[in-house]
C-alpha cells in the first residue's frame, strides 16, 4: 500500500523533470560520418564514376536489394544501370565493405520516406553524387595495374614497371 | 434569479461534451509530462487543436457494422452508455442556482441507477458484436462492475447517514462546516477506487484487455460509435470527479472565489489525479482485482457504515 502511494508521488514529481524529447524536424541529431544511412555512388577525383560494376556489392547484400548491369567503355567497366531497392535495404553496410573501389558509400542521411513504395527504388541517377564522398583522394584506375587509354601497364601509383620475363638480366 | 431549465440542460450537455473532449488532450499532455516528454504539441498553440483533429478523424472514419453482428443492439449499446453518463450529470449541483435536478430527493440513487444502466451498454456491446473477444471483454466488465457497484453504493451510505438525505443539494449544504472527506475518509477512498473501476479507467481497465490484442468489448466498433464509448469514458471520469467533489470535497462551497470556480477547480484537480493514477500504477490481474474488491473493500465499507452509525447514535443519545 505504501509502495503504491510512493509510486504515485514519484510519478507526480516527474511533472517537474525536464523533457527528454528531441524536437526532431527542428533540431537535427548529430550523426557521425560513419552512420549507415542512405547509400550513394561516388565519383573519383577526376569526376569519373568509381563503380566498376564488379557485382561484389550485390553478392554481399544479404537482402538482394542491389541489382546492376556491367557495361564497358574504352577499357573501363561501368554500370549500365544500378538500382538499390531501399524498401528492402537493411543498411547493414556490407556493400560498402565489399566495394574494392570505394564507389558505394553509406551516408548519415536517413530522411528518405516516400508515399509510394515504388519510389524507394533508386536508379543510378538518384544514387550517383558529384563528389568523392568519404575518400577524397582515391582513384581506382590510378592505383590498379589495369591498362586504360592514357595509362600503360606499370604507370600507376606505387607500381613497378612490369618485368620482362624473357630478358636475361636479374 | 431563476435560470430557465432548458438553458441549463442544453449548457450542461454541451459542457459535459466539451469537458470530455478537453480531457482527451489534457490526458495525453499530462501523461507526456509524467513520462518526461511533451505529448501532442504540434497542432495549434500547445497542441490544443489536436482535439479538433481527433474529432475530424473520428467523424470521417468508416463507420462499419460487421455483418455477423446483431445490428440494432450493436447500434444501441454505445448510445445507452453515453446517455447513462450524460443523465447522471443532471443531479450534480454545479452552483447553488445552476443544476438540472440537484434538489431531487433521490439524486444519489438516480446516479447509481444510471451507473447500473451503463453496465448494459458494455454487456450488450460485447454480446451483440458476436465475437469471442468482445464477449469476454463484456463479461469481464460486467463482473467487475457487479463487484464494484456493491460497495460503491455502500461507501457513500456514510455520507447519506450524516446528511440524512439523498439529495445532492442537501449533501453540499451539510458540508458547510467540514468537508466529508475528513469524517468519511475511508468512504472517500473506497468511493474513489470504485469510481475508477466504474469508468474502466486505468489501473482497473480490465474490460479492454490488451493482453489478448483485442480492445475488449468494443473490438468491433469503429468511427463515431467507438467515439461514443471513448467520450463516455471521459465523461465518466468527469462524472466521478464531480461526484467525489460533491460528496466529499464540499461541492461548490469555498471561500473568496465564486461557487462555479470552486466546483471547476475541484473537478479539474480530480481529473488530473485520475490521469496521475493512470500514469503511475500497473494493471492488477483480474482475480486480484475481484479479490481486492470483495475481500477488502466490501468489509471496509461495511465497517465504515457501522462506525458512522455508532458515532451518529452516540451523538444523538448524548
Amino acid at each position: 500500500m505504501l509502495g503504491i502511494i510512493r509510486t504515485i508521488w514519484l510519478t507526480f514529481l516527474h511533472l517537474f523533470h525536464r523533457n527528454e524529447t528531441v524536437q526532431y524536424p527542428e533540431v537535427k541529431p548529430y550523426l557521425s560520418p560513419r552512420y549507415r544511412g542512405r547509400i550513394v555512388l561516388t565519383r573519383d577525383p577526376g569526376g569519373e564514376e568509381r563503380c566498376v560494376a564488379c557485382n561484389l556489392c550485390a553478392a554481399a547484400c544479404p537482402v538482394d536489394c542491389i541489382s546492376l548491369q556491367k557495361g564497358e567503355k574504352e577499357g573501363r567497366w561501368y554500370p549500365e544501370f544500378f538500382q538499390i531497392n531501399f524498401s528492402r535495404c537493411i543498411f547493414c553496410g556490407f556493400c560498402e565493405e565489399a566495394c574494392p573501389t570505394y564507389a558505394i558509400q553509406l551516408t548519415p542521411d536517413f530522411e528518405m520516406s516516400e508515399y509510394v513504395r515504388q519510389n524507394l527504388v533508386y536508379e543510378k541517377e538518384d544514387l550517383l553524387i558529384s563528389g568523392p564522398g568519404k575518400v577524397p583522394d582515391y582513384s581506382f584506375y590510378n592505383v590498379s595495374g589495369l591498362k586504360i587509354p592514357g595509362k600503360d601497364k606499370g604507370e600507376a601509383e606505387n607500381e613497378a614497371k612490369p618485368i620482362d620475363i624473357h630478358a636475361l638480366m636479374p | 434569479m431563476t435560470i430557465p431549465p432548458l438553458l441549463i440542460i442544453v449548457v450542461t450537455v454541451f459542457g459535459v461534451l466539451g469537458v470530455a473532449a478537453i480531457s482527451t488532450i489534457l490526458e495525453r499532455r499530462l501523461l507526456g509530462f509524467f513520462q518526461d516528454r511533451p505529448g501532442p504539441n504540434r497542432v495549434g498553440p500547445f497542441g490544443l487543436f489536436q482535439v479538433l483533429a481527433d474529432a475530424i478523424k473520428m467523424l470521417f472514419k468508416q463507420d462499419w457494422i460487421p455483418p455477423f453482428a446483431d445490428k440494432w443492439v450493436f447500434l444501441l449499446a454505445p448510445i445507452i452508455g453515453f446517455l447513462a453518463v450524460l443523465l447522471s450529470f443532471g443531479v450534480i449541483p454545479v452552483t447553488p442556482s445552476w443544476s438540472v435536478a440537484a434538489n431531487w430527493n433521490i439524486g444519489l440513487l438516480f446516479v447509481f441507477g444510471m451507473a447500473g444502466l451503463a453496465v448494459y451498454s458494455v454487456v450488450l456491446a460485447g454480446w451483440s458484436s458476436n465475437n469471442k473477444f468482445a464477449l469476454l471483454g463484456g463479461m469481464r466488465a460486467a463482473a467487475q462492475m457487479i463487484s464494484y457497484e456493491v460497495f460503491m453504493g455502500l461507501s457513500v451510505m456514510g455520507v447519506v447517514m450524516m446528511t440524512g438525505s439523498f439529495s445532492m443539494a442537501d449533501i453540499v449544504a451539510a458540508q458547510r462546516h467540514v468537508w466529508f472527506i475528513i469524517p468519511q475518509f475511508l468512504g472517500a477512498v473506497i468511493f474513489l477506487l470504485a469510481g475508477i473501476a466504474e469508468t474502466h479507467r486505468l489501473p482497473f481497465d480490465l474490460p479492454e484487455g490488451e493482453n489478448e490484442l483485442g480492445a475488449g468489448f468494443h473490438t468491433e466498433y469503429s468511427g463515431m460509435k467507438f467515439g461514443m464509448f471513448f467520450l463516455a469514458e471521459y465523461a465518466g471520469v468527469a462524472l466521478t470527479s464531480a461526484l467525489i467533489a460533491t460528496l466529499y470535497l464540499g461541492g461548490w462551497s469555498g471561500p473568496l472565489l465564486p461557487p462555479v470556480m470552486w466546483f471547476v477547480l475541484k473537478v479539474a484537480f480530480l481529473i488530473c489525479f485520475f490521469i496521475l493514477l493512470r500514469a503511475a500504477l500497473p494493471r492488477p490481474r483480474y482475480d486480484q482485482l475481484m479479490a481486492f474488491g470483495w475481500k477488502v473493500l466490501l468489509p471496509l465499507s461495511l465497517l465504515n457504515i457501522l462506525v458512522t452509525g455508532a458515532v451518529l447514535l452516540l451523538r444523538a443519545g448524548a
Side-chain angles (χ1 to χ4, degrees):
Chain A
M1 192 64 210
L2 271 180
I4 289 174
I5 292 167
R6 184 168 167 270
T7 312
I8 294 171
W9 173 244
L10 289 178
T11 311
F12 173 72
L13 287 184
H14 270 269
L15 210 52
F16 307 105
H17 286 203
R18 234 160 50 90
N19 279 337
E20 301 289 345
T21 307
V22 177
Q23 299 285 345
Y24 156 64
E26 291 89 35
V27 183
K28 302 281 184 197
Y30 170 74
L31 297 172
S32 85
R34 42 186 281 180
Y35 185 89
R36 295 202 298 261
R38 190 181 121 187
I39 297 170
V40 294
L41 287 174
T42 59
R43 294 172 186 274
D44 63 19
E48 297 287 328
E49 279 180 50
R50 268 183 177 150
C51 179
V52 294
C54 65
N55 261 305
L56 281 177
C57 52
C61 182
V63 291
D64 288 343
C65 68
I66 303 177
S67 65
L68 67 159
Q69 173 70 53
K70 193 196 87 179
E72 198 170 342
K73 203 160 50 184
E74 298 173 343
R76 288 169 177 247
W77 289 5
Y78 75 99
E80 265 176 12
F81 69 82
F82 196 110
Q83 294 176 337
I84 299 182
N85 184 352
F86 277 110
S87 68
R88 279 189 174 199
C89 181
I90 56 170
F91 300 94
C92 63
F94 282 4
C95 49
E96 190 178 20
E97 298 284 332
C99 185
T101 66
Y102 294 123
I104 195 164
Q105 293 182 4
L106 280 79
T107 63
D109 178 17
F110 59 92
E111 296 164 314
M112 39 196 309
S113 325
E114 293 286 350
Y115 285 104
V116 184
R117 183 168 277 257
Q118 194 57 37
N119 292 350
L120 281 168
V121 178
Y122 279 38
E123 296 290 340
K124 197 167 98 176
E125 50 265 36
D126 308 317
L127 295 164
L128 198 61
I129 62 168
S130 58
K134 285 182 270 195
V135 197
D137 302 324
Y138 183 79
S139 174
F140 173 71
Y141 283 107
N142 286 351
V143 294
S144 72
L146 195 70
K147 183 182 162 190
I148 52 166
K151 192 201 80 172
D152 210 350
K153 286 222 181 253
E155 288 179 1
E157 293 166 22
N158 301 324
E159 192 189 18
K161 285 281 174 193
I163 296 167
D164 184 0
I165 51 168
H166 300 295
L168 291 174
M169 290 301 284
Chain B
M1 185 182 71
T2 49
I3 307 163
L6 197 65
L7 179 75
I8 295 185
I9 291 171
V10 170
V11 171
T12 306
V13 168
F14 281 97
V16 171
L17 284 174
V19 168
I22 290 167
S23 298
T24 60
I25 182 74
L26 178 77
E27 167 149 48
R28 291 172 67 186
R29 286 291 291 201
L30 270 181
L31 278 180
F33 290 140
F34 288 136
Q35 294 159 2
D36 292 348
R37 60 189 173 81
N41 60 348
R42 293 279 156 176
V43 198
F46 305 106
L48 278 175
F49 293 167
Q50 187 77 42
V51 184
L52 224 61
D54 287 345
I56 291 169
K57 186 186 82 176
M58 213 163 256
L59 282 170
F60 286 94
K61 254 184 167 176
Q62 189 184 9
D63 208 351
W64 188 67
I65 299 173
F68 46 81
D70 190 325
K71 195 179 165 202
W72 291 110
V73 182
F74 190 80
L75 282 172
L76 200 60
I79 299 173
I80 294 176
F82 197 64
L83 277 186
V85 175
L86 216 51
L87 284 174
S88 305
F89 273 96
V91 296
I92 305 273
V94 180
T95 70
S97 56
W98 185 282
S99 74
V100 182
N103 291 314
W104 215 5
N105 58 5
I106 56 162
L108 200 50
L109 280 182
F110 179 74
V111 170
F112 289 120
M114 284 298 136
L117 269 186
V119 185
Y120 278 94
S121 136
V122 171
V123 175
L124 289 179
W127 174 77
S128 68
S129 296
N130 205 354
N131 168 325
K132 285 175 198 140
F133 294 109
L135 184 62
L136 281 173
M139 274 173 60
R140 279 199 308 259
Q144 177 183 334
M145 284 173 128
I146 286 168
S147 51
Y148 272 73
E149 224 151 76
V150 171
F151 56 82
M152 188 186 191
L154 288 177
S155 62
V156 295
M157 281 311 121
V159 170
V160 174
M161 285 155 84
M162 289 180 77
T163 313
S165 166
F166 274 112
S167 155
M168 296 297 234
D170 289 350
I171 290 174
V172 174
Q175 298 178 69
R176 189 132 300 164
H177 302 296
V178 59
W179 291 356
F180 279 153
I181 193 166
I182 295 166
Q184 283 291 319
F185 185 71
L186 193 61
V189 172
I190 294 169
F191 186 77
L192 174 74
L193 290 173
I196 298 167
E198 185 67 32
T199 50
H200 326 298
R201 285 285 302 176
L202 281 118
F204 298 151
D205 67 333
L206 294 165
E208 302 194 357
E210 289 131 29
N211 319 42
E212 61 224 19
L213 294 181
F217 61 88
H218 48 55
T219 304
E220 300 288 352
Y221 281 83
S222 55
M224 206 50 219
K225 289 199 296 300
F226 171 76
M228 295 203 36
F229 279 122
F230 191 68
L231 281 180
E233 181 183 317
Y234 283 102
V237 172
L239 174 67
T240 311
S241 304
L243 277 176
I244 295 171
T246 308
L247 295 175
Y248 295 103
L249 297 179
W252 42 260
S253 60
L256 293 175
L257 291 171
V260 63
M261 282 304 293
W262 273 110
F263 187 78
V264 168
L265 272 179
K266 285 167 185 173
V267 170
F269 169 78
L270 283 164
I271 289 177
C272 292
F273 182 70
F274 269 67
I275 295 168
L276 171 63
L277 281 185
R278 173 178 180 174
L281 297 180
R283 180 190 297 131
R285 220 171 50 221
Y286 188 55
D287 56 315
Q288 289 173 333
L289 179 74
M290 300 272 289
F292 181 61
W294 285 109
K295 293 180 187 166
V296 181
L297 293 180
L298 181 64
L300 275 180
S301 56
L302 287 172
L303 187 76
N304 184 40
I305 293 177
L306 196 72
V307 172
T308 311
V311 170
L312 284 177
L313 269 181
L314 276 177
R315 278 213 188 144

